Amino acid sequence: IMVSELLLCLSLGCAAALKPTCLSAQFRRPGDYILGGLFPFGKDMVNLTARLEPSLLVCERLYVDGLTWALGMKFAIEEINNSTSLLPGVTLGYDMYDTCFEPLLALHPSLLFLSQNGTTGIGILSNYTDYQARVTAVIGPHNSGLCLVTAKLFGSFLIPQVSYAASSEKLSNMELYPSFYRTVPSDKVLVEAVLHLLNRFGWNWIATIASDDEYGQGAQALFVSIAGNNNICIAFEGLIPTDLSGPNVNSQLEDTLNLIKKTKVNIVVLFSFGVSAKALLEQSIRMRLSKKVWIGTEAWMLSGIADSIPNIQSIGTVLGFVMKTGTVPGFQNYVADLFTSVQQDEFCQESREFSRLMSADVLDTHCKQCDHISLRDISPRLSIFKVQPVYVAVHSVAHALHRALACSLRACPRGTSIRPWQLLYFMNKFPFEVNGQSFRFDQSHSTNIGYKLILWSWRNDTLTYLPVGDYEQSLYIDESQIQFHTADDKEPTTECFTHCKPGQFRRIKGFHLCCYDCTDCPENTSWSSEDSSSCTPCPEHQWAPARSTRCFQRSERFLFWDEPLTIGLLTLMSIIIFLTCLAGLLFVKSLETPLVQAAGGERTLFALLSLLLLSLSCCLYVGKPSEHLCVVQGIVCALCLNGCFSTLFIKSLEIALVTEFPRCAPTLLCWVTHRRSWLLVALCLLTQLLLCYCHLHLGPDYLVADYKSLPTEVLLVCNTKSWVAFALLHGYNSCLALVSLLCTFMVQTSGKKYNIARGITIATIICFIIWIFFIALFATLRTVLRAVTQIASILATSLGILGSYYIPKCYIILFKPEMNTVDCFQNSIKEEPEEDS
């Protein structure tokens, strides 16, 4: 029935469309309380730059959406006036004006609304508590840019202003706009919905374009500020002009689209009104831009631009969010009836009388184009246009006024005077119901009614808005309903990065800070958190392998007793100790024989004891080192070595006196033989002890926990603090060995006699060779091999002295007893002249 009535009304409207109507006179009505209305009846204002006088401003073209909003307000108020439960006995009036998308034009009616009731002037007072403005509340305007201008004016008087379309997040600032309300969500909710959609499909490499106005710039800025925290990388941010009459519009659009091509994005988020969006999409079709996924908003997706752009299907897939609003029952019939009525002279006469009661001579509505349109001109928009936000805005004021007046279900008290600011408390605190649906303003004075996700679906070249999901706190998508423009109908991929796995961090690539590759965390670093841009270095006492999610405690590393290398060295030490003990026993048993006496007698036993202790000192280098152990190691080694070299030194002096200074020998030999020689041994040991004392004060070895040499362990090693102290400690023994070498290396004997000097020469040469290699390795090694080097040098030195000086004598004692005679060893060190050849 409703459809047939609408068709009948359409036919009547078409028949009468030839003569002007009185539709422009339908936007003023007197009442007990007046609601002001700001609507964009027109658009395309004349060039303001050519304006030299503050004359009348006129819009050139009718804006059908603005007219529909105004009709929605008119319908809501008349419905309330006819209600018996809401404001019974109270009549609401209305006074609506054109904003023409221009702040300058919106200011005129705003100032009129602020004028004192019954006058055309604004009272200048210090206290506006009792001030009664012309209107009780204001509905509109639709545009965020206009609201940012007017909201401060109405906020200074605390006049409630309820917008039906302004969504800028700036308007959520209650300090700047205390009396501003809106029946739509803020852009923050819309941006969150878009980010949920992008994350749902894994799209993190996108472009965002906005119209160069408050709505576009504000939404884009908000989107960009939040996108980074949601793993979205913005490849390009662009603005498209709102004034399409400029000379550089096409070049600006081309530059924007060329940058989209250059960045190779497949997803474009577009915040714009219909006119600017239409210009961009038309230019993209002309430039044959490859198909994209366009994510839009209600501002342009439902503006009807698809019907006016040829080949619009070629742009790709269009997805977007529109407010989840319901229908307003009876509105379409009301509009159809109204268009029939405005063609009747009697109705028009009555309407003009009402307008004159509202002081129409002060400021006209300026919707002259309204008188020249028919129902057919606006009927296509009525089926898809969202008029509920205007309807709810009017009801929010009506319910607040109902509570402020303390109305009952049957009547409102008479004689009660309500000031506009008194409505704010009731609007803030109480919910209200409209057609069975509950609404309430939140802390930012918005109504979060949620969004529907719609898809532009083409069937037989006919566009339908296909619901594919919704958003309220969380996003629901019916992916089976979405057919993308790709060959397999699946969502296109557009990734600048992938989510890093545990143990990986983001490495930025290119000039986009949010574009990165996933790189494994290096050794000794750990993964700190998901999608982190760096790895956390492990503390010094911990380590981690590559791509690790945590750090591990380092184990201590030193020369362990059960290591194969340690066992091998200890085995060698045991062999040397065994040989030393065996040699000592043989020398004790053969102490009075010529061989032992010639080798040094009792001093050889002391030397062998020193070699035994020197070999046993290797145990100081095995196991966990400590500060005291590091100090003792070098001192014990130096003293034991000195005990051995002091005996060889005394024997070398004896040989030198006999061979090089035979005249002085009788006088001095007593100091290097028999019991007096022990004084020299003691003197050598005392000198070494003094040098050990200096070593302790200059800088003894100290324990170092080395965390750098080994990847997973802490190396406990004794470190040399002062190389000067090291040289003092071991240099004295080197001097004794050098003197022994100089005293013996030229000594010769006859073939029938044993050469004692040769054993000393060979022993000292072996020691020098070992020490040269030892110092070279000891100064460079920083691992457990440092301790191994020390043990090996000690054992090599012991074995070298034992093998070159003592073991040959043991061989004679055991296997050549016939050589252990006075003839072989008496004066065996006397130098004899070489025979002439």
Side-chain angles (χ1 to χ4, degrees):
I1 298 174
M2 186 182 71
V3 175
S4 61
E5 290 179 353
L6 181 60
L7 293 174
L8 176 61
C9 293
L10 278 171
S11 62
L12 293 174
C14 294
L18 295 176
K19 69 173 186 177
T21 65
C22 60
L23 187 60
S24 61
Q26 304 306 311
F27 304 109
R28 283 194 180 94
R29 284 292 185 275
D32 300 324
Y33 296 94
I34 305 299
L35 302 187
L38 297 174
F39 299 97
F41 290 109
K43 59 182 178 180
D44 298 340
M45 183 176 285
V46 295
N47 190 5
L48 293 178
T49 58
R51 186 170 177 258
L52 301 177
E53 296 179 358
S55 57
L56 182 66
L57 295 172
V58 180
C59 287
E60 294 182 343
R61 289 195 299 164
L62 178 70
Y63 184 55
V64 174
D65 290 354
L67 173 61
T68 309
W69 275 320
L71 293 175
M73 176 178 175
K74 177 179 172 65
F75 171 70
I77 292 177
E78 292 185 4
E79 188 180 60
I80 292 170
N81 289 337
N82 294 326
S83 172
T84 57
S85 58
L86 182 59
L87 291 174
V90 175
T91 302
L92 294 180
Y94 47 90
D95 199 5
M96 306 181 204
Y97 292 92
D98 185 16
T99 62
C100 198
F101 290 86
E102 274 297 331
L104 186 61
L105 196 60
L107 281 175
H108 289 177
S110 298
L111 293 173
L112 178 62
F113 293 157
L114 294 175
S115 63
Q116 196 161 2
N117 193 20
T119 70
T120 57
I122 301 175
I124 307 301
L125 304 173
S126 59
N127 187 346
Y128 285 93
T129 303
D130 295 325
Y131 185 82
Q132 185 65 59
R134 181 184 179 93
V135 298
T136 304
V138 178
I139 306 300
H142 79 295
N143 183 287
S144 295
L146 301 182
C147 287
L148 289 172
V149 175
T150 58
K152 287 187 177 180
L153 283 175
F154 298 127
S156 62
F157 288 79
L158 291 183
I159 295 178
Q161 177 186 5
V162 188
S163 175
Y164 46 86
S167 57
S168 173
E169 180 62 18
K170 293 180 181 179
L171 293 165
S172 297
N173 190 334
M174 293 298 98
E175 292 184 0
L176 294 178
Y177 314 104
S179 65
F180 179 82
Y181 299 81
R182 54 186 163 197
T183 54
V184 294
S186 75
D187 284 338
K188 185 177 181 181
V189 181
L190 173 63
V191 165
E192 290 173 351
V194 173
L195 291 172
H196 276 81
L197 176 64
L198 295 173
N199 284 324
R200 177 64 172 271
F201 288 108
W203 294 328
N204 54 40
W205 179 238
I206 67 165
T208 173
I209 302 176
S211 53
D212 193 8
D213 52 28
E214 180 59 40
Y215 166 72
Q217 291 182 12
Q220 186 185 61
L222 186 64
F223 176 78
V224 172
S225 66
I226 302 177
N229 297 327
N230 286 268
N231 301 318
I232 305 297
C233 189
I234 309 296
F236 168 67
E237 300 173 40
L239 291 175
I240 48 179
T242 53
D243 182 9
L244 302 179
S245 60
N248 299 322
V249 171
N250 287 334
S251 61
Q252 292 179 32
L253 295 175
E254 287 179 7
D255 292 341
T256 299
L257 294 170
N258 283 328
L259 284 170
I260 292 177
K261 281 184 179 180
K262 185 177 179 180
T263 53
K264 298 179 181 179
V265 296
N266 291 324
I267 311 297
V268 181
V269 179
L270 178 56
F271 299 103
S272 173
F273 284 112
V275 177
S276 299
K278 177 183 177 182
L280 178 71
L281 296 178
E282 286 178 337
Q283 187 66 30
S284 70
I285 294 171
R286 285 193 292 268
M287 293 177 61
R288 297 182 179 178
L289 185 71
S290 60
K291 291 185 176 182
K292 310 290 182 185
V293 174
W294 297 83
I295 298 178
T297 62
E298 183 172 343
W300 66 269
M301 288 188 66
L302 299 182
S303 63
I305 63 173
D307 298 330
S308 58
I309 302 177
N311 199 24
I312 184 66
Q313 300 96 318
S314 65
I315 65 173
T317 305
V318 179
L319 275 170
F321 291 94
V322 299
M323 284 180 292
K324 194 186 292 184
T325 57
T327 59
V328 178
F331 177 65
Q332 292 189 14
N333 285 339
Y334 171 80
V335 173
D337 292 339
L338 180 63
F339 268 85
T340 302
S341 300
V342 295
Q343 300 173 38
Q344 300 172 4
D345 294 336
E346 183 179 352
F347 180 83
C348 290
Q349 184 64 31
E350 183 182 357
S351 299
R352 293 187 180 98
E353 288 297 329
F354 281 131
S355 293
R356 278 193 284 270
L357 293 175
M358 297 293 294
S359 302
D361 56 324
V362 176
L363 186 64
D364 195 8
T365 303
H366 303 312
C367 184
K368 299 303 180 183
Q369 301 95 334
C370 295
D371 293 338
H372 301 281
I373 66 167
S374 65
L375 183 59
R376 175 178 291 180
D377 296 325
I378 69 168
S379 59
R381 302 291 296 154
L382 291 178
S383 60
I384 61 172
F385 191 73
K386 305 296 183 180
V387 77
Q388 191 192 37
V390 178
Y391 186 78
V392 173
V394 174
H395 273 265
S396 68
V397 175
H399 279 81
L401 184 59
H402 184 93
R403 290 189 173 96
L405 290 171
C407 297
S408 66
L409 293 177
R410 295 184 178 181
C412 294
R414 292 288 182 179
T416 305
S417 179
I418 296 296
R419 301 291 185 264
W421 59 267
Q422 293 177 285
L423 301 183
L424 300 181
Y425 172 78
F426 300 98
M427 296 180 72
N428 291 335
K429 294 294 183 181
F430 298 99
F432 57 96
E433 190 173 287
V434 179
N435 293 332
Q437 184 178 0
S438 180
F439 294 88
R440 184 168 195 160
F441 292 112
D442 58 21
Q443 292 181 347
S444 62
H445 291 182
S446 304
T447 56
N448 187 7
I449 56 179
Y451 286 95
K452 287 192 299 183
L453 178 64
I454 65 169
L455 171 73
W456 276 11
S457 177
W458 299 93
R459 293 179 182 176
N460 300 324
D461 294 331
T462 302
L463 173 63
T464 57
Y465 301 106
L466 180 64
V468 293
D470 57 59
Y471 176 79
E472 279 189 45
Q473 305 296 328
S474 61
L475 179 64
Y476 164 75
I477 301 178
D478 184 2
E479 296 186 27
S480 62
Q481 295 282 343
I482 305 176
Q483 290 186 344
F484 290 94
H485 58 267
T486 53
D488 57 358
D489 295 334
K490 299 295 183 181
E491 68 271 12
T493 58
T494 173
E495 290 185 337
C496 176
F497 61 87
T498 57
H499 290 283
C500 295
K501 297 178 181 179
Q504 294 182 323
F505 70 98
R506 298 175 176 179
R507 184 183 295 277
I508 295 172
K509 60 181 179 181
F511 59 90
H512 291 285
L513 296 180
C514 58
C515 247
Y516 57 83
D517 291 322
C518 290
T519 305
D520 292 348
C521 288
E523 293 182 351
N524 294 324
T525 61
S526 65
W527 177 72
S528 56
S529 62
E530 186 177 356
D531 292 329
S532 59
S533 58
S534 63
C535 296
T536 304
C538 292
E540 192 176 41
H541 62 281
Q542 294 181 332
W543 73 282
R547 196 173 174 177
S548 177
T549 58
R550 66 185 184 95
C551 295
F552 303 91
Q553 292 293 332
R554 288 178 179 268
S555 59
E556 293 180 338
R557 184 68 175 101
F558 44 84
L559 195 60
F560 295 100
W561 288 96
D562 55 353
E563 287 188 58
L565 185 59
T566 305
I567 294 173
L569 291 172
L570 292 178
T571 303
L572 179 61
M573 182 192 73
S574 301
I575 294 172
I576 294 172
I577 290 173
F578 173 75
L579 292 176
T580 304
C581 292
L582 183 61
L585 290 174
L586 286 174
F587 272 55
V588 169
K589 185 178 180 180
S590 308
L591 184 61
E592 302 300 329
T593 62
L595 183 149
V596 176
Q597 290 297 319
E602 292 85 351
R603 295 193 307 275
T604 58
L605 298 178
F606 179 74
L608 287 170
L609 177 62
S610 297
L611 284 179
L612 176 65
L613 295 175
L614 180 64
S615 299
L616 285 173
S617 71
C618 292
C619 296
L620 298 175
Y621 297 92
V622 183
K624 184 177 180 178
S626 63
E627 289 285 353
H628 298 295
L629 202 59
C630 289
V631 174
V632 169
Q633 287 174 352
I635 293 175
V636 171
C637 176
L639 287 173
C640 293
L641 202 57
N642 184 266
C644 180
F645 274 115
S646 62
T647 60
L648 296 179
F649 169 68
I650 292 170
K651 187 63 183 178
S652 300
L653 290 178
E654 180 186 349
I655 294 170
L657 286 173
V658 173
T659 58
E660 301 296 334
F661 306 101
R663 293 181 181 182
C664 300
T667 306
L668 299 176
L669 275 175
C670 62
W671 292 97
V672 295
T673 58
H674 306 298
R675 293 184 177 179
R676 288 187 182 181
S677 62
W678 288 104
L679 293 175
L680 286 177
V681 172
L683 181 63
C684 291
L685 286 172
L686 286 173
T687 304
Q688 184 64 55
L689 282 171
L690 180 63
L691 292 173
C692 289
Y693 179 79
C694 295
H695 169 76
L696 290 175
H697 281 76
L698 286 175
D701 290 356
Y702 61 98
L703 181 64
V704 172
D706 183 3
Y707 295 97
K708 296 181 180 179
S709 298
L710 301 176
T712 64
E713 300 165 310
V714 52
L715 176 64
L716 300 179
V717 64
C718 295
N719 194 36
T720 303
K721 184 176 183 180
S722 170
W723 286 102
V724 175
F726 180 86
L728 285 175
L729 185 65
H730 298 286
Y732 179 58
N733 287 327
S734 300
C735 292
L736 294 180
L738 180 62
V739 172
S740 300
L741 176 64
L742 293 175
C743 291
T744 58
F745 82 99
M746 291 293 291
V747 175
Q748 294 183 3
T749 60
S750 63
K752 296 179 180 180
K753 294 185 178 182
Y754 185 80
N755 191 346
I756 295 290
R758 185 179 300 156
I760 297 175
T761 302
I762 295 172
T764 53
I765 289 174
I766 289 173
C767 287
F768 278 122
I769 293 172
I770 292 171
W771 292 346
I772 289 171
F773 281 102
F774 164 72
I775 292 173
L777 293 172
F778 185 76
T780 56
L781 287 175
R782 293 287 297 174
T783 64
V784 290
L785 293 178
R786 186 182 177 100
V788 172
T789 303
Q790 290 173 295
I791 296 172
S793 62
I794 290 172
L795 294 178
T797 301
S798 299
L799 189 60
I801 295 173
L802 193 64
S804 61
Y805 191 73
Y806 293 102
I807 290 180
K809 296 173 178 56
C810 293
Y811 176 78
I812 293 173
I813 293 172
L814 292 174
F815 301 105
K816 297 286 185 178
E818 68 276 7
M819 292 181 61
N820 192 0
T821 61
V822 175
D823 293 336
C824 288
F825 289 96
Q826 187 176 16
N827 297 327
S828 62
I829 57 174
K830 183 176 180 180
E831 186 178 8
E832 295 183 359
E834 295 181 5
E835 298 179 358
D836 296 335
S837 52

